[in-house]
Amino acid sequence: MKDRLPIDAVIEPLREALARAGRAVLMAPPGAGKTTRVPLALIDRVEGRIVMLEPRRLAARAAAERMAESLGESVGQRVGYRIRGEAKVSKATRIEVVTEGILTRMLQSDPELSGVGLVIFDEFHERSLNADLGLALTWEARGALRPDLQILVMSATLDAEPVAALLDNAPILRSEGRAFPVETRWLGRSLATGLRLEAACAALIEEAVAETSGGVLVFLPGEGEIRRTEALLKGRLPPEVAIRPLFGAMDFAAQRAAIAPVATGRKVVLATSIAETSLTIEDIRVVVDAGRARRLRFDPASGMARLVTERVSRAEAEQRRGRAGRVAEGICYRLWTKGEEGALAAFAPPEIAVADLSGLALELAQWGSDGSDLAFLTPPPAPALAEARALLQGLGALD
């Protein structure tokens, strides 16, 4: 266990830990620079390519572009990326940023991960099903086929000890980061019963714009809430304030326009959780958090997965708050009272515990495992996994 160090000071201990143990867990708060600085610092210490997982396509592209820019190169040279439907890599590529499902495909087609020296699981605190599966498969591949394969798990808000224990007591390193101070402002009283989330959020955005300067990043649960809030704000903000939606279903050009600095005036970015991690929006000084997240939940009664809107966890709220302190001192407005914060769950439930497991069951079958022999941080619930297998058998996907 190391003391908290700035991200630059933690690099050498991290190199030593990976060289000695072949695995490590790095904890660093939002804004520490772990996504772009750590892979570059390890590039000359790793035999073979570095594959780094990002939870979202926009984050994967942005991370690759930022690292390539710092090397004075274009994407696809020493740093590249691979996401669904698009790849920019070459024979010279040493760092390959991929989305989580891409790693699963790589492992299924080549369990040895030939030519890969290090796999980095970035933003692991999001605990997506693909990330949990990817870590379990990579750990088994290391134990059975590639004892030289190095594994690094990085996170901002995750409880590090269980991850380290899963990886056979991997060394834990902690960074203090380099984020700027962020002032938090809560509501004075709870929201009135019957008040729509969009109306309350629009009013808080108006207040934030009037009291602050710089860009504003607003967290809303989904596209519907973003569009309705955008409509409510029209005509209520100063003319120099541009409104930019940002959600996963948008095309890349629109997403890039949302994160690009404005030439004049200021902007308000209305975003889903796509903007929570691994993404720096350069001119953001203010965060407005509506306190809601949309999650996929499996309903055993219907046998179907559905999206539900829930209160954020304290870890998610902290992650969002950190977006205001990436480039300067900031302010975070929360759409709840300080007293209500104690009722928030500490962490969001891992996707593997609440999602439809049909896809997982299919991947396990292809891997040749029933899942019981794999090291999952959260094992898939047996009833849900059995139901998923029964469904796949009924469809003829499994015998």
Side-chain angles (χ1 to χ4, degrees):
M1 181 79 67
K2 302 287 185 182
D3 294 332
R4 291 183 180 272
L5 299 167
I7 197 68
D8 289 335
V10 87
I11 293 299
E12 193 55 41
L14 177 59
R15 288 169 171 164
E16 294 171 0
L18 288 173
R20 182 181 69 255
R23 61 202 185 279
V25 178
L26 173 61
M27 303 297 298
K34 59 186 179 299
T35 298
T36 53
R37 302 179 75 164
V38 169
L40 291 175
L42 297 175
I43 193 170
D44 294 328
R45 298 293 188 96
V46 174
E47 293 289 336
R49 301 196 318 280
I50 296 174
V51 172
M52 182 168 73
L53 277 73
E54 290 296 334
R56 297 176 181 85
R57 293 183 299 160
L58 181 60
R61 252 179 102 163
E65 289 172 350
R66 185 174 290 272
M67 283 190 283
E69 182 183 0
S70 69
L71 292 174
E73 301 175 354
S74 59
V75 177
Q77 296 183 44
R78 277 185 289 174
V79 181
Y81 66 84
R82 203 178 339 163
I83 59 179
R84 188 181 61 208
E86 185 180 356
K88 281 195 175 182
V89 295
S90 67
K91 291 181 179 179
T93 299
R94 294 292 316 285
I95 299 174
E96 188 173 336
V97 189
V98 304
T99 44
E100 292 162 343
I102 297 291
L103 176 67
T104 304
R105 299 273 61 79
M106 293 171 67
L107 283 158
Q108 294 284 22
S109 61
D110 177 15
E112 292 189 22
L113 289 180
S114 303
V116 176
L118 168 66
V119 180
I120 301 175
F121 293 81
D122 193 23
E123 308 295 359
F124 193 72
H125 60 268
E126 293 205 8
R127 296 298 309 283
S128 74
L129 198 156
N130 274 328
D132 276 15
L133 175 62
L135 182 58
L137 297 185
T138 304
W139 184 244
E140 179 168 78
R142 182 180 190 269
L145 302 169
R146 286 285 312 280
D148 62 313
L149 181 63
Q150 298 179 350
I151 297 175
L152 172 60
V153 177
M154 302 197 302
S155 178
T157 54
L158 185 69
D159 185 5
E161 280 70 20
V163 184
L166 181 78
L167 301 181
D168 195 16
N169 295 318
I172 300 174
L173 298 100
R174 302 181 190 273
S175 168
E176 66 183 13
R178 53 179 176 81
F180 293 89
V182 177
E183 175 190 348
T184 305
R185 298 180 183 178
W186 292 269
L187 294 182
R189 63 181 64 183
S190 299
L191 294 176
T193 303
L195 180 64
R196 287 185 65 95
L197 178 73
E198 296 89 338
C201 196
L204 190 57
I205 293 167
E206 271 194 281
E207 179 182 331
V209 169
E211 294 177 348
T212 64
S213 60
V216 180
L217 175 59
V218 183
F219 285 101
L220 289 157
E223 179 183 356
E225 291 84 356
I226 286 174
R227 294 302 186 192
R228 289 189 289 273
T229 303
E230 181 182 18
L232 288 171
L233 288 173
K234 287 185 177 176
R236 293 169 59 176
L237 298 179
E240 70 273 11
V241 178
I243 300 175
R244 297 281 187 266
L246 178 60
F247 50 89
M250 297 170 64
D251 60 52
F252 273 126
Q255 289 178 343
R256 292 172 72 87
I259 66 176
V262 290
T264 59
R266 58 193 298 205
K267 69 181 178 185
V268 172
V269 180
L270 306 177
T272 61
S273 57
I274 191 174
E276 270 184 25
T277 57
S278 301
L279 195 64
T280 298
I281 306 178
E282 294 292 349
D283 49 356
I284 294 300
R285 304 288 188 276
V286 181
V287 163
V288 176
D289 187 357
R292 300 292 188 278
R294 189 147 294 147
R295 314 189 201 281
L296 198 62
R297 292 285 182 270
F298 180 68
D299 182 5
S302 66
M304 302 285 288
R306 61 191 179 92
L307 287 169
V308 298
T309 303
E310 300 176 343
R311 297 296 297 266
V312 296
S313 66
R314 292 196 297 274
E316 289 171 306
E318 184 62 22
Q319 189 76 26
R320 294 176 175 189
R321 176 181 175 273
R323 299 292 103 181
R326 297 298 293 267
V327 294
E329 292 185 5
I331 300 174
C332 175
Y333 291 79
R334 288 178 168 169
L335 197 62
W336 62 89
T337 65
K338 191 172 184 178
E340 291 172 319
E341 194 149 303
L344 298 179
F347 298 96
E351 189 179 5
I352 199 170
V354 295
D356 175 16
L357 299 184
S358 300
L360 175 66
L362 204 57
E363 294 290 353
L364 291 175
Q366 186 176 349
W367 188 256
S369 168
D370 64 0
S372 61
D373 55 340
L374 294 176
F376 283 103
L377 185 57
T378 301
L385 192 55
E387 188 169 347
R389 290 194 176 109
L391 171 63
L392 293 171
Q393 288 168 355
L395 295 172
L398 291 180
D399 56 28

